[in-house]
Structure formats: structure tokens, C-alpha cells
Amino acid sequence: MDKVDFALNEDQEMFQTSTRQYLKSKGGLEIPRRYMDGEVNILQDMWHGLAQQGYLGVNVSESYGGLGQGSLSLVPILEEMGRAIIPGPYPETMAVAVPLLEAYGTDEQKEKYLPEIVDGKRKLTLALHELNGEIAPANIQLTASEGDGDYTLNGTKILIPHGDVADTLIVPVRTGGIHSEYGISLLLVDREDANVKIQEQQSLEQTRKIVRIAFEETKVAKQQLLGPKHAGWGALQFAINDLHVALCSMMVGGIDRVVEMANEYGQTRMQFGQPIGRFQSIKHRIVDMRMDLESSRSLTYYAAWALENNADDMVEAIALARSFTSEAFVRTASDNVQIHGGMGFTWEFDCHLFLKRARALENYLGSSDDCLEIAAGELGW
């Protein structure tokens, strides 16, 4: 049996190096801090920079101005974004919108959206959750009544990540049926053309804003239907798998940074005449954090490979990666705060940025237990 190498290839290592250099040149962890302080323009500036660097076209077909690479090549870029707690809908745009448009978009939709994504002119996000917050076919109840040339939308979506800055929403709607998968369709809703009411919701993670959007007699042209009518649930699951892997990649980057922070602090903070990293309780905790990092990275790289290659064990690979990595991020970010002691709880130290991001992503798209249930179901347990 041939050995499979899951290390990054030369091109992917180049993406990782150049992304780290670019984000460092823009300020690194000053980016989320300035965004939290109200400098929202920094997101747009950074987005244009990402476009100039080619990071917004990595997985877009060459015929639409992209690089034509697979989703695996997004992993190192997302890791670096996780290391710097970068705000903005990069995962939703690149790991949800692009794969959906490439797989299900009409020629007109691809011509319209993909070049604008590559050029940094359009950001997209996923408007998935409704009022009870659970992801299930029965909970997609935003109605889209079909007229002569358009759909009329009525209902509310909540917890939409970066809905305040996204130019286009991918909205699962109900065009038929009542509670089953049948009748769910996906619509591309352009903010500039749609009459919607947007309300910012409270978020514990200030770099990851969430909004509530009310659709009241909102008209959307029929040509904005993305994928098959009444059969959008399968396409949505396809996109969610991509998004899980993207989130895992960002969390691995976050874990990598908190391990680095804890290690550096352990070597420089002196107590009783020696670095605290020499104390057994600190030393062992950092070793545990390192083991969490390597396990998370291995699971995520395999899940990304399984996704790109449509492997037989793709579903369980992604579910297990998401379950472990979500818990590991919370665990390591919490340990990093503890290792920093009282300083770890202060605003000036960066520890809280990672713990908030870990908590914000912990249950996004489902809890760790939900992911384990998916894996167990797929394995027939």
C-alpha cells in the first residue's frame, strides 16, 4: 500500500509563509484589536490586500481568474488567519460560497460572483440558523413563495456571521414541503438589491460579529436560485463539510499560537529565581497543549485531504476532526490563560482573544457531541 504524505506541499508552505508575512505586515494581533475598537475599515483594507496577494482566488477556477487549486490549499492560509484572530467572512466566502458556486452555480452566477470574489469586491456569508438555532430540515421555515419572475421571502435568520459586512447572503429557504429535506432550496440574496432589516446581535467574540436579518416580503429574482429547486439540503451539507474543515484549520492556527505564547511566557516569567517553565505543573501542561496541537493538526489535515479527494470516510473524518479540535482549542486557550496567571485575565495580554474565539466557534454548526453522533452514525455504531 502506498504511503500517503499529509504534510503541506511546497506551494502550500509558500502560501503559509507569505500569509504570515502579510498579516504580520498589517499588524498581526493588532488587526482584531483595532477592529474591536471600531476601526471597521481595517477589514476592507485587509480584504483588498488578500485579493492582491491572490488568497481570494485559491480555489476558484482559472477561467474565472482564480488559481484553480483544491480546498487543501486553503488550510495553511486559514491556519495563519487563526493565529492572528482575523475578523471577516473569509471561511464563509472561500469554503462555502466558492465550492457551492463551482458545483451548483449557473454560468451566469459564476460569471457574476466568482470574478468579484477573486478581486475582493464581494464577500459572502451563510444565513443558516432560524429562531430555535438548530440545524435540521424541520427548522428551515423561511418561506420563499414563487411568483412570475421572483420569489417572495418571509421569515428571519439569526446568528449570521459577518452579516453586517457581507455583500451576498446564501439563504436556505423553504420552497415546498413542510418539515422534511424536500422543499429546501438555496438562494443568493444580494444585499444591494434586497429589502431586509439587519440587527446586530450580542456576541462574546467582538471580532466575529453576528446579526439577525428579517425578510419581509423581500423579492429575490428566480435566477438567484443556487442549485436544484426543492433539493438544496444536500448542497447545504456539502457546503457545511467544507466549512467545518475551514473552521478546524483556523482553530489549529489558534492552538498553535497559544502554545507558542505559553511556551514563551514559561521561559521568561521568573519565580523563585528560575523560569516558571521549569516547574513540573507548567511543563506538563504545555506538553499536554502541544499534544492537543499535533492531534488537532493531524485530524484536520486528514479531514481536508478526505474532503478534497471525496474519500469514503470523509464524513466521519470531518466530524471527528471538528469534535476534537473544538474541544482542544477551548482547553489550550484556557490553559494559556492559567499559565499567564493574573496577567492572563487582563485586556492588555492577548490570551483572552483566543479564548473568546474558541468559545465562539465551540458550538457553531453543532457541538462536539453532535459531531461525535454524526461520526458514530456514519460508522454504524
Side-chain angles (χ1 to χ4, degrees):
M1 183 177 179
D2 293 336
K3 186 173 72 173
V4 179
D5 184 1
F6 289 107
L8 300 178
N9 63 32
E10 189 175 336
D11 287 343
Q12 291 159 354
E13 287 180 349
M14 184 189 68
F15 279 137
Q16 187 156 37
T17 302
S18 61
T19 306
R20 184 174 296 192
Q21 290 172 344
Y22 170 71
L23 294 177
K24 188 176 180 181
S25 73
K26 303 301 288 186
L29 286 172
E30 283 302 308
I31 298 172
R33 284 187 174 276
R34 290 170 62 187
Y35 185 75
M36 289 190 296
D37 288 340
E39 287 187 51
V40 292
N41 288 338
I42 194 172
L43 174 58
Q44 194 58 36
D45 291 343
M46 191 192 64
W47 205 262
H48 285 311
L50 292 173
Q52 290 173 346
Q53 298 286 329
Y55 302 147
L56 295 176
V58 171
N59 56 338
V60 176
S61 298
E62 293 181 64
S63 54
Y64 297 103
L67 301 178
Q69 301 210 17
S71 55
L72 259 173
S73 293
L74 291 175
V75 170
I77 298 172
L78 288 158
E79 269 194 51
E80 292 307 313
M81 291 188 164
R83 277 179 59 90
I85 310 290
I86 295 301
Y90 188 84
E92 287 78 9
T93 300
M94 304 309 297
V96 176
V98 170
L100 277 176
L101 285 164
E102 292 276 3
Y104 298 99
T106 63
D107 290 342
E108 290 76 15
Q109 289 169 346
K110 292 177 182 177
E111 290 284 352
K112 175 181 178 181
Y113 291 106
L114 292 176
E116 289 193 352
I117 290 173
V118 173
D119 292 339
K121 296 177 180 176
R122 188 170 291 272
K123 298 183 282 291
L124 294 89
T125 192
L126 180 63
L128 175 60
H129 296 95
E130 299 192 14
L131 291 179
N132 65 9
E134 296 181 6
I135 304 173
N139 295 326
I140 303 297
Q141 293 298 322
L142 192 151
T143 60
S145 306
E146 189 170 357
D148 288 338
D150 54 31
Y151 292 101
T152 302
L153 275 58
N154 282 289
T156 301
K157 295 288 185 179
I158 64 171
L159 304 175
I160 303 170
H162 310 292
D164 56 325
V165 296
D167 304 293
T168 299
L169 308 168
I170 298 175
V171 186
V173 298
R174 190 157 284 282
T175 49
I178 300 175
H179 294 109
S180 67
E181 295 180 14
Y182 172 78
I184 294 174
S185 305
L186 302 181
L187 288 177
L188 291 159
V189 179
D190 294 335
R191 288 267 306 278
E192 66 266 28
D193 298 330
N195 178 28
V196 296
K197 294 180 179 177
I198 300 178
Q199 179 184 8
E200 188 171 329
Q201 296 184 280
Q202 188 171 8
S203 173
L204 66 89
E205 217 275 75
Q206 294 157 293
T207 67
R208 196 169 180 279
K209 293 184 178 178
I210 51 176
V211 302
R212 168 194 181 110
I213 297 184
F215 299 83
E216 297 176 357
E217 299 295 318
T218 303
K219 302 290 185 183
V220 177
K222 280 188 176 179
Q223 56 263 37
Q224 294 299 93
L225 179 68
L226 178 60
K229 183 181 175 184
H230 299 321
W233 184 254
L236 184 62
Q237 300 313 301
F238 164 81
I240 286 177
N241 280 335
D242 270 276
L243 186 53
H244 274 309
V245 172
L247 295 173
C248 284
S249 302
M250 293 193 79
M251 289 190 284
V252 167
I255 297 170
D256 188 52
R257 187 71 183 94
V258 295
V259 172
E260 189 177 288
M261 290 168 65
N263 192 41
E264 288 173 357
Y265 194 74
Q267 293 182 48
T268 55
R269 177 75 169 95
M270 304 294 288
Q271 278 285 2
F272 307 109
Q274 58 184 325
I276 62 171
R278 290 185 182 172
F279 300 143
Q280 197 172 51
S281 59
I282 301 294
K283 190 186 305 181
H284 286 187
R285 185 168 284 193
I286 293 175
V287 169
D288 288 342
M289 292 169 70
R290 171 69 68 179
M291 290 177 66
D292 271 340
L293 168 62
E294 296 306 328
S295 299
S296 297
R297 180 169 278 146
S298 297
L299 286 166
T300 297
Y301 282 13
Y302 182 75
W305 176 87
L307 177 70
E308 182 162 302
N309 291 280
N310 202 26
D312 290 341
D313 59 351
M314 175 188 73
V315 172
E316 57 265 41
I318 293 172
L320 291 171
R322 181 63 203 274
S323 175
F324 185 89
T325 306
S326 294
E327 291 186 356
F329 194 14
V330 172
R331 192 161 50 238
T332 54
S334 301
D335 284 347
N336 187 40
V337 172
Q338 294 298 324
I339 287 171
H340 279 74
M343 297 303 293
F345 290 85
T346 62
W347 181 260
E348 288 73 18
F349 273 57
D350 294 324
C351 307
H352 64 95
L353 298 176
F354 293 91
L355 184 55
K356 288 174 184 172
R357 176 62 64 90
R359 287 295 186 189
L361 296 181
E362 184 180 11
N363 293 309
Y364 180 41
L365 302 179
S367 68
S368 176
D369 287 345
D370 292 335
C371 292
L372 289 179
E373 283 190 22
I374 291 171
E378 191 67 17
L379 290 167
W381 292 353

